[in-house]
Amino acid sequence: MLTDQPLRPARTPNATTAGANHAIVIGAGMGGLASAMRLGAKGWKVTVIDKLDMPGGRGSSISQNGHRFDLGPTIVTVPQVFRELWSACGRDFDADVDLRPMDPFYEIRWPDGSTFTARQSTEAMRAEVARLSPGDLPGYDRFLKDSERRYWFGFEDLGRRSMHRLWDLIKVLPTFGMLRADKSVYAHAAARVKDERLRMALSFHPLFIGGDPFHVTSMYILVSHLEKQFGVHYAMGGVAAIAEAMAKVIEGQGGSLRLKTEVDEIVVEKGVAKGVRLGTGEVMPAALVVSNADAGHTYTRLLRNLPRKRWTDNHVASRRWSMGLFVWYFGTKGTAGRWKDIGHHTILNAPRYQGLCDDIFIKGKLAKDMSLYLHRPSITDPSVAPEGDDTFYALSPVPNLKFDNGVDWDREAEPYRQSVETVLEQYMPGIGETISASLVFTPNQFRDRYLSPFGAAFSIEPRILQSAWFRPHNVSEEAKGLFLCGAGTHPGAGLPGVVASAEVLGKLAPDAPGFTATRSAPDLRLAAE
């Protein structure tokens, strides 16, 4: 067992729902929950099915010895996508979720002792740049303008509409060319600033969505504008609390969650999705099916018996997949108030940047050095740890399982954890003596728990020829009535991306038969019920 907490009862409907207005969502990840909410607002009676014992997918949690570990995403960068989602359902996001702004956002540390503290204030950020490299201020100002321009085009335009028609891509190619989308995030940062530390600080963000900063399209520098414009937030109770709030909205719309249940296959008849077959053999009919399972798993497993035109097994396997993750979740006893220089979010850099990324993404080599993202939510949220204690996780990007020289994580997990602890001892002396809870996730857990191909933590890597039209579409070309959402689909990984994928899906999916939307958003909930 991965947890010592009792399994919560499955939120299962009294009987298998059938009917012309019944929709099934496979997977209760954040994209699946958001899609279920969008469908509920369009009059569908939705059943969400998930193999885990709680909603949230990668955003779920596990408890051990009084510590609650948020397993995946830790920050919310574009809260308006959630507010708009709630509004579409006639609800108020801020009444359901306690979102706290972070200031500072995070601190970046280098082996030479230098640091960079990211904040929302442009003047505070310019002061940080000037402290490290005053000559790079003009370039930083240009970088911010570049970031804002790509935000309006890449997120607000392309990221919130469907890209399933080739013509949609052709129309925007001139803009891609003008914005030099062919350049990498790192190359764009390097063209603006000279200090290598600043180049890292302005280019590392793709790692949070599974991309290699040295190869992912420079469109992703838009993240710098997201942080500046909207801030970085933490949800009290973790992202799992947002998932729980989403589940309650779905249930309030008349939908249901069927947990601890695995879908074995999507049932397709004469080219039309007709429902799902569960691992038990039970068939659940539906007039509309949404898969929030990884797009690779959807096509190679859930549609394994369907002849596919585009997303064949070979085509899926040939994609470049995101890196894997090694995550050490641990609790410490009696350390509240200790290590006062370690905040909520800290990035601890290895001596190498490009070399380490090459090892992870290109060579598939488990390097001896490592860069760590250290999460300490107990600084902000006392509910994650017993009184006087702390809860952490340390995350290290590692190769996925696709490489021929793949890592044997059954053998390497504990030695690697010890290496992580050794690195942390440099910043938090005595940490090894305080450990009161410990749990490790490797790419094996991502493969088995989340059904992620090759243990990739963020599905398909967001390179330019794996983005927009090239990415799995939100409406499937393999079966009518089948839609996809989540990290492996357009627009991509990360909380804003997966919630936006549900927004795109909501524009593509029809209203439920007989449903008539009312004029005001608050009435949509009543109409759906």
Side-chain angles (χ1 to χ4, degrees):
M1 274 315 264
L2 291 174
T3 174
D4 62 0
Q5 66 185 4
L7 291 179
R8 54 181 291 170
R11 297 150 83 145
T12 307
N14 294 328
T16 298
T17 308
N21 66 341
H22 180 227
I24 287 176
V25 175
I26 305 166
M30 303 302 284
L33 295 171
S35 296
M37 291 170 66
R38 290 281 181 183
L39 293 177
K42 295 168 76 71
W44 292 94
K45 300 296 183 184
V46 185
T47 302
V48 183
I49 306 172
D50 197 280
K51 70 188 290 283
L52 302 181
D53 65 317
M54 65 174 63
R58 288 170 173 79
S60 57
S61 66
I62 283 179
S63 295
Q64 187 184 93
N65 297 345
H67 297 268
R68 189 190 73 241
F69 300 117
D70 299 316
L71 298 179
T74 63
I75 60 174
V76 177
T77 52
V78 194
Q80 81 265 22
V81 298
F82 285 103
R83 294 189 174 107
E84 292 168 6
L85 172 63
W86 254 252
S87 179
C89 301
R91 301 287 289 263
D92 179 5
F93 172 74
D94 294 292
D96 292 344
V97 177
D98 183 2
L99 207 59
R100 305 285 179 92
M102 298 282 98
D103 188 22
F105 297 163
Y106 47 82
E107 182 184 61
I108 302 174
R109 298 186 181 189
W110 287 275
D112 65 1
S114 59
T115 65
F116 183 90
T117 301
R119 296 180 181 272
Q120 186 167 10
S121 163
T122 300
E123 288 310 307
M125 290 288 281
R126 295 184 82 251
E128 286 292 287
V129 172
R131 184 174 58 81
L132 288 181
S133 179
D136 278 326
L137 265 176
Y140 175 70
D141 291 338
R142 289 183 66 190
F143 184 88
L144 285 184
K145 292 178 181 178
D146 298 340
S147 173
E148 181 175 8
R149 190 174 185 187
R150 283 155 182 79
Y151 161 77
W152 286 109
F153 174 67
F155 186 83
E156 290 294 348
D157 183 8
L158 299 190
R160 304 182 81 166
R161 61 183 172 93
S162 180
M163 291 294 292
H164 69 283
R165 293 181 293 262
L166 183 58
W167 178 240
D168 294 325
L169 173 67
I170 294 172
K171 286 189 297 185
V172 299
L173 285 178
T175 307
F176 273 121
M178 183 173 57
L179 295 177
R180 291 303 310 272
D182 59 305
K183 293 177 65 174
S184 72
V185 170
Y186 176 84
H188 195 98
R192 294 290 182 253
V193 297
K194 296 180 179 178
D195 188 282
E196 281 296 334
R197 296 166 298 177
L198 290 179
R199 288 174 172 180
M200 178 273 161
L202 297 179
S203 68
F204 78 94
H205 299 93
L207 290 165
F208 283 148
I209 55 170
D212 178 355
F214 294 87
H215 291 93
V216 165
T217 169
S218 63
M219 294 300 297
Y220 282 98
I221 69 168
L222 63 84
V223 175
S224 293
H225 181 74
L226 289 183
E227 292 183 345
K228 171 179 173 294
Q229 186 69 23
F230 307 110
V232 169
H233 302 78
Y234 172 83
M236 299 299 285
V239 169
I242 302 180
E244 185 63 37
M246 297 170 86
K248 290 179 179 177
V249 173
I250 294 164
E251 292 169 336
Q253 294 171 320
S256 59
L257 276 75
R258 185 160 174 171
L259 303 177
K260 296 190 290 185
T261 304
E262 189 165 347
V263 173
D264 180 64
E265 187 175 6
I266 297 171
V267 177
V268 179
E269 298 176 3
K270 297 180 179 179
V272 180
K274 293 292 186 179
V276 301
R277 179 176 292 104
L278 306 181
T280 60
E282 176 188 352
V283 174
M284 295 183 64
L288 185 150
V289 177
V290 175
S291 182
N292 180 223
D294 188 284
H297 180 80
T298 298
Y299 284 120
T300 62
R301 174 64 189 178
L302 300 183
L303 291 173
R304 63 187 180 278
N305 293 318
L306 179 72
R308 283 158 273 140
K309 298 185 291 289
R310 182 182 183 190
W311 294 102
T312 63
D313 288 3
N314 287 339
H315 185 64
V316 170
S318 69
R319 301 302 88 193
R320 295 200 66 92
W321 292 78
S322 79
M323 79 288 198
L325 294 177
F326 179 96
V327 194
W328 179 30
Y329 307 93
F330 62 96
T332 55
K333 190 168 185 61
T335 59
R338 193 170 172 183
W339 309 309
K340 293 183 179 180
D341 61 331
I342 301 295
H344 194 125
H345 304 288
T346 309
I347 297 166
L348 308 174
N349 274 297
R352 301 182 302 148
Y353 182 31
Q354 183 170 4
L356 183 57
C357 286
D358 285 348
D359 283 347
I360 294 167
F361 288 93
I362 308 301
K363 300 176 183 177
K365 173 185 174 183
L366 186 62
K368 292 183 179 179
D369 58 335
M370 61 184 70
S371 290
L372 299 176
Y373 163 56
L374 184 63
H375 180 224
R376 189 184 190 181
S378 42
I379 289 288
T380 305
D381 186 352
S383 72
V384 303
E387 185 175 356
D389 297 349
D390 269 314
T391 291
F392 295 87
Y393 83 46
L395 178 154
S396 175
V398 295
N400 63 41
L401 302 175
K402 187 179 179 182
F403 293 93
D404 292 335
N405 58 335
V407 181
D408 181 357
W409 282 109
D410 292 333
R411 185 183 65 207
E412 295 292 340
E414 177 54 20
Y416 197 82
R417 186 207 65 77
Q418 292 175 9
S419 297
V420 172
E421 184 176 328
T422 298
V423 172
L424 294 180
E425 282 279 356
Q426 302 172 35
Y427 301 92
M428 298 185 291
I431 186 177
E433 302 168 358
T434 68
I435 303 300
S436 55
S438 180
L439 176 68
V440 164
F441 271 29
T442 73
N444 289 356
Q445 277 69 47
F446 282 83
R447 177 195 62 199
D448 300 338
R449 178 180 172 89
Y450 304 125
L451 305 178
S452 302
F454 310 110
F458 303 91
S459 192
I460 296 172
E461 188 184 0
R463 294 195 175 198
I464 189 168
L465 294 181
Q466 297 189 155
S467 300
W469 179 83
F470 298 102
R471 207 164 180 83
H473 302 154
N474 304 106
V475 55
S476 177
E477 58 268 76
E478 306 293 355
K480 293 181 179 179
L482 175 62
F483 299 83
L484 279 72
C485 64
T489 69
H490 174 70
L495 285 181
V498 300
V499 174
S501 77
E503 179 182 345
V504 173
L505 183 150
K507 295 173 182 176
L508 295 169
D511 289 346
F515 173 74
T516 303
T518 53
R519 291 183 180 179
S520 61
D523 293 336
L524 285 176
R525 179 178 49 151
L526 300 178
E529 293 173 351

